[in-house]
Amino acid sequence: MTFDMNYKAIIFDLDGVICHTDHYHYLAWKQLADKIGVYFDETINNRLRGVSRMESLEIILERYEGEPFTSEEKVSMAEEKNAIYRELLKEMSEKDLSSEVKDTLDQLRAGGLLLGIGSSSKNARFIMGQIGLGDYFDAISDGNNITKSKPDPEVFLKAAEYLKVKPEECLVVEDAKAGIDAAHAAGMDSAAIGDAFGYALSTHHLSTFSDLLKASGVR
Ligand code: B16
Ligand code: MG
């Protein structure tokens, strides 16, 4: 293995990069949408990638034609969705972490890189515990320590601060265009995977997670 250390740290988005919770988000939002009688499908669900819980609710309510909800009602709807979502997350286990992702993370660490999480989710630590990565990362910045969600750079700047590295020393891995925008705004390089693959603003494009070894200079 040769090391070309362009980066000191890699900051990973969680949902859609390390593991896949989109379907659980979909099922939980769908239950809520059906209850209030608003149309919701997988295409609308795709727009919720990387977006905060309350902003996700606003996107779902774009199609709602009834009396406007009060802020309190919206908070209670988001809490209801989260309770359903948390129940579904209990089904996750170490089987939801692919060997490709785990092996790649181990090789990146062996290559001397610091590894952090930059997720909009307030459930990030719970999800990581479920998939066996509870104490794996060097730092976690998530929905609980930010005031503005992606595309604002706050979540990644906080991750860099917790990792004690400069923004320009970080590479962000993201599946959401809003996340690539956030990395760009933070002054960080980015690697796009999944839904964000091919997005012009990203520095690298990953066809598969292990392509990160090349993008990060570890192999
Ligand atoms: P929660 P990420 C994001 O996580 C999800 O992609 C997005 O769909 C979700 O609405 C958001 O977290 C908030 O999640 O309701 O659990 O706080 O992709 O930034 O890791
Ligand atoms: Mg994501």
Side-chain angles (χ1 to χ4, degrees):
M1 214 185 283
T2 55
F3 305 124
D4 173 8
M5 303 298 278
N6 292 316
Y7 304 111
K8 283 193 179 162
I10 306 197
I11 303 172
F12 297 87
D13 172 56
L14 182 65
D15 293 337
V17 171
I18 300 292
C19 62
H20 298 275
T21 52
D22 337 21
H23 192 60
Y24 294 128
H25 276 296
Y26 169 75
L27 292 174
W29 282 124
K30 179 73 178 149
Q31 265 198 52
L32 184 88
D34 287 350
K35 187 174 163 189
I36 60 176
V38 65
Y39 179 79
F40 180 64
D41 63 16
E42 297 269 10
T43 309
I44 302 172
N45 194 56
N46 269 336
R47 288 177 57 205
L48 312 183
R49 233 176 264 281
V51 173
S52 76
R53 198 179 305 162
M54 291 309 288
E55 285 164 331
S56 297
L57 178 63
E58 291 299 339
I59 291 173
I60 289 163
L61 292 178
E62 282 171 10
R63 290 191 177 227
Y64 181 70
E65 287 173 349
E67 278 292 302
F69 292 107
T70 63
S71 315
E72 291 75 21
E73 285 169 330
K74 286 181 186 173
V75 168
S76 134
M77 283 190 278
E79 280 170 1
E80 191 177 331
K81 178 266 172 178
N82 193 49
I84 302 166
Y85 178 58
R86 298 261 311 189
E87 271 309 303
L88 294 167
L89 288 180
K90 287 183 187 163
E91 291 172 23
M92 290 187 93
S93 69
E94 293 182 14
K95 290 195 201 90
D96 291 289
L97 177 66
S98 78
S99 54
E100 180 187 358
V101 169
K102 183 61 169 62
D103 291 349
T104 304
L105 290 172
D106 288 345
Q107 288 188 60
L108 292 168
R109 170 157 288 158
L113 286 156
L114 289 167
L115 307 179
I117 287 286
S119 166
S120 304
S121 176
K122 291 186 172 168
N123 295 301
R125 284 174 195 268
F126 181 61
I127 295 166
M128 285 188 285
Q130 290 297 99
I131 62 175
L133 292 180
D135 48 16
Y136 187 86
F137 289 91
D138 300 301
I140 297 165
S141 170
D142 65 19
N144 297 297
N145 61 255
I146 54 170
T147 54
K148 288 163 272 172
S149 62
K150 302 165 188 175
D152 190 279
E154 186 181 9
V155 71
F156 294 135
L157 290 173
K158 283 270 184 225
E161 186 188 318
Y162 299 160
L163 288 164
K164 299 187 174 59
V165 291
K166 296 186 193 120
E168 60 270 26
E169 295 168 334
C170 299
L171 172 65
V172 166
V173 188
E174 258 292 350
D175 73 313
K177 288 176 186 158
I180 302 287
D181 291 340
H184 186 72
M188 299 176 182
D189 278 5
S190 59
I193 193 165
D195 207 51
F197 182 89
Y199 186 44
L201 206 59
S202 52
T203 321
H204 309 277
H205 301 274
L206 312 177
S207 303
T208 184
F209 194 85
S210 57
D211 286 352
L212 193 50
L213 294 170
K214 195 156 176 247
S216 62
V218 163
R219 198 169 64 193

